[in-house]
Amino acid sequence: GGDHTITYPILQALAAKHGPVGLVHVDAHTDTGDTALGERIYHGSPFRRCVEEGLLDCGRVVQIGIRGSSYDPDPNKYCREQGFRVVPAEECWMKSLEPLMREVRAQMGDRPVYISFDIDGLDPAYAPGTGTPEIAGLTPAQALEIIRGCRGLNIVGCDLVEVAPMYDASGNTALLGANLLFEMLCVLPGVKTL
């Protein structure tokens, strides 16, 4: 719940326990902005703050579904400079993400990993109840492939953020978010499923 700012203190706590963690980040945006309206901590900056504090194992950060308009001709430059793997939405269109997740599992290895899922990573046709919707996003089936593709990783925590029910009278966004959280709980280490 909440906006993406909540991931920052969670990762501070996890890094204090585990050291820098890997990150599987699903989002329309990289959330590596520097400031907004003079503020350094806001929903578009948590991962820049995490990099600055050494909370992330940057060679084990994957951002999936990134898209949308930008004020910069190379909006993902900062992420690439940190060593993040950025997977733009257009690389995901009309295909299964199981092959991608095999690569992600190999990249993450057996060290601690955090999953952070912004609901706007999904196309607003499926999840309109969010504050910063971007067209041409992922499908719910691809979201399941990503989450289920994390099974077997050393997951130390997860979140699902940016659901804003007041923007979706149908309730579909909240339903989708709840189901994705359930799926995340099912891939935590030691969880037995049928």
Side-chain angles (χ1 to χ4, degrees), residues 81-100:
E81 287 174 347
Q82 307 316 307
F84 295 5
R85 179 176 181 181
V86 178
V87 182
E90 57 263 28
E91 291 182 16
C92 303
W93 292 343
M94 298 175 281
K95 63 179 162 184
S96 170
L97 300 186
E98 287 183 359
L100 169 66

Side-chain angles (χ1 to χ4, degrees), residues 44-58:
S45 70
F47 300 115
R48 182 178 289 248
R49 302 290 85 89
C50 289
V51 167
E52 292 168 351
E53 292 187 24
L55 310 178
L56 296 174
D57 179 353
C58 293

